[in-house]
């Protein structure tokens, strides 16, 4: 793994990790991983190594306010900050690839990946969305927080994540709880960005012509699976494929060994179809 920092136009240092392929390796393409809320790209080593083993160079990065990147935890400085950052990292990665990279986003990262692709901010080779956060049922308390957030958009509060529901693997849950790079912060501005991005992307997806793979946790207790199902219903059928794992929790790539094997197999099959 190689690491570096990329500086954004507003002087935020973004941490970037590359899992590149040896020169002699047969290359099928490249994948940029976009992680979820509160976590960091270091949690995707297993995904990166799997993709490397099948001929894909991989890049991950930490969102601003996350992991080893600079910025207030769980905050964004302006509405489109995460979109601008993703484009910056994607374009830098694409410069050294023979074809445009695929985008693999998880949860909030899937929301970011979908929006930048749907709005043609970038043009990835294909899109992989794992447990995308596209819709939400807000409680009265949540709505109150968002409304108050118009006055205090960068006051961070707990994101309310129920860690026990990220995976059925107890070690994954324990590692998450003990990871010093993980935080539970979110600001009203970031929360509104996630909600608005999901809604905007669903509205604009009917004419989306980028190959898209939806990986959906059927027993997701952290985001609503119906958002992914709604998206699949809107996408042109020749460009979309969806797999629903009925009893899986939110982090599909971090489920128990037997369960995650099915997810990785579906990911590989789809990527091979797209990179023939």
């Amino acid at each position: 793994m190689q690491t570096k920092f990329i500086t954004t136009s507003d002087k935020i240092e973004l941490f970037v990790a590359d899992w590149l392929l040896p020169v002699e390796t047969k290359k099928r393409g490249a994948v940029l991983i976009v992680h979820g809320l509160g976590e960091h790209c270091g949690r995707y080593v297993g995904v990166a190594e799997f993709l490397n083993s099948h001929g894909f160079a991989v890049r991950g990065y930490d969102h601003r306010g996350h992991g080893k990147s600079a910025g207030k935890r769980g905050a964004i400085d302006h509405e489109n900050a995460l979109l601008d950052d993703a484009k910056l990292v994607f374009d830098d990665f694409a410069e050294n690839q023979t074809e445009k990279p695929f985008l693999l986003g998880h949860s909030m990262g899937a929301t970011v990946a979908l929006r930048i692709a749907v709005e043609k901010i970038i043009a990835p080779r294909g899109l992989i969305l794992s447990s995308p956060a596209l819709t939400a049922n807000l409680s009265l308390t949540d709505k109150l927080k968002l409304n108050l957030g118009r006055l205090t958009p960068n006051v961070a509060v707990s994101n309310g994540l129920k860690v026990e529901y990220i995976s059925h693997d107890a070690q994954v849950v324990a590692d998450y709880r003990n990871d010093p790079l993980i935080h539970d912060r979110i600001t009203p501005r970031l929360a509104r960005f996630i909600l608005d991005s999901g809604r905007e992307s669903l509205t604009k997806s009917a004419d989306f012509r980028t190959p898209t793979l939806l990986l959906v946790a059927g027993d997701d207790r952290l985001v609503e699976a119906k958002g992914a199902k709604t998206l699949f219903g809107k996408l042109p059928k020749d460009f979309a494929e969806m797999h629903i794992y009925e009893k899986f929790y939110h982090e599909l790539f971090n489920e128990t060994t037997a369960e995650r094997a099915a997810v990785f197999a579906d990911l590989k099959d789809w990527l091979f179809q797209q990179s023939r």
Side-chain angles (χ1 to χ4, degrees):
M1 181 179 72
Q2 301 175 11
T3 64
K4 65 178 183 178
F5 286 88
I6 295 178
T7 306
T8 68
S9 61
D10 57 346
K11 310 305 180 186
I12 296 292
E13 295 286 314
L14 299 177
F15 176 77
V16 173
D18 288 330
W19 292 267
L20 303 177
L21 298 170
V23 174
E24 66 277 9
T25 302
K26 179 182 177 181
K27 299 176 179 61
R28 289 183 174 273
V31 179
L32 173 63
I33 297 174
V34 190
H35 71 74
L37 177 67
E39 57 165 354
H40 58 91
C41 68
R43 299 189 70 237
Y44 292 80
V45 172
V47 178
E49 291 177 346
F50 174 83
L51 292 170
N52 276 176
S53 72
H54 292 289
F56 294 91
V58 179
R59 167 170 287 186
Y61 72 101
D62 291 347
H63 295 296
R64 64 175 62 208
H66 288 74
K68 296 179 181 179
S69 289
K72 180 179 177 180
R73 302 295 89 173
I76 53 176
D77 303 291
H78 55 91
E79 181 182 356
N80 292 328
L82 298 187
L83 306 181
D84 295 342
D85 294 350
K87 175 176 169 53
L88 178 66
V89 175
F90 179 89
D91 288 348
D92 180 78
F93 189 36
E95 282 183 6
N96 296 313
Q97 307 302 323
T98 56
E99 296 190 60
K100 293 287 188 181
F102 292 92
L103 271 181
L104 190 164
H106 171 70
S107 196
M108 180 189 78
T111 307
V112 171
L114 177 62
R115 186 170 175 189
I116 58 177
V118 166
E119 295 191 0
K120 298 181 172 59
I121 296 171
I122 64 170
R125 190 174 174 187
L127 200 58
I128 303 142
L129 306 178
S130 163
S131 302
L134 300 177
T135 60
N137 282 330
L138 297 180
S139 67
L140 182 60
T141 302
D142 292 331
K143 291 177 181 177
L144 180 61
K145 286 179 181 178
L146 283 175
N147 287 332
L148 291 174
R150 296 182 187 278
L151 301 175
T152 55
N154 274 328
V155 174
V157 297
S158 172
N159 61 29
L161 177 72
K162 297 179 180 178
V163 178
E164 63 271 24
Y165 293 126
I166 64 170
S167 170
H168 286 91
D169 189 324
Q171 189 60 55
V172 169
V173 174
D175 290 346
Y176 188 100
R177 294 186 190 278
N178 295 320
D179 190 333
L181 291 179
I182 287 176
H183 67 77
D184 71 344
R185 301 287 89 187
I186 189 170
T187 60
R189 178 177 286 156
L190 177 55
R192 188 166 294 282
F193 164 80
I194 297 170
L195 293 171
D196 290 347
S197 292
R199 184 178 60 251
E200 288 290 320
S201 296
L202 287 173
T203 299
K204 298 174 181 178
S205 59
D207 297 323
F208 190 52
R209 293 292 188 274
T210 298
T212 300
L213 174 65
L214 286 158
L215 303 173
V216 183
D219 195 15
D220 200 326
R221 315 222 184 153
L222 305 184
V223 305
E224 293 187 334
K226 76 175 185 181
K229 296 174 184 177
T230 299
L231 175 63
F232 182 70
K234 289 176 174 289
L235 292 172
K237 290 298 172 282
D238 291 343
F239 291 86
E241 180 176 320
M242 180 169 66
H243 296 272
I244 300 175
Y245 307 94
E246 291 297 346
K247 296 182 180 181
F248 289 27
Y249 282 167
H250 185 63
E251 293 194 353
L252 295 170
F253 296 113
N254 285 329
E255 270 290 16
T256 63
T257 302
E259 291 171 326
R260 77 181 70 158
V263 182
F264 279 112
D266 290 335
L267 173 62
K268 184 195 78 170
D269 289 346
W270 185 85
L271 281 170
F272 275 32
Q273 290 173 18
Q274 304 303 322
S275 56
R276 288 173 178 167

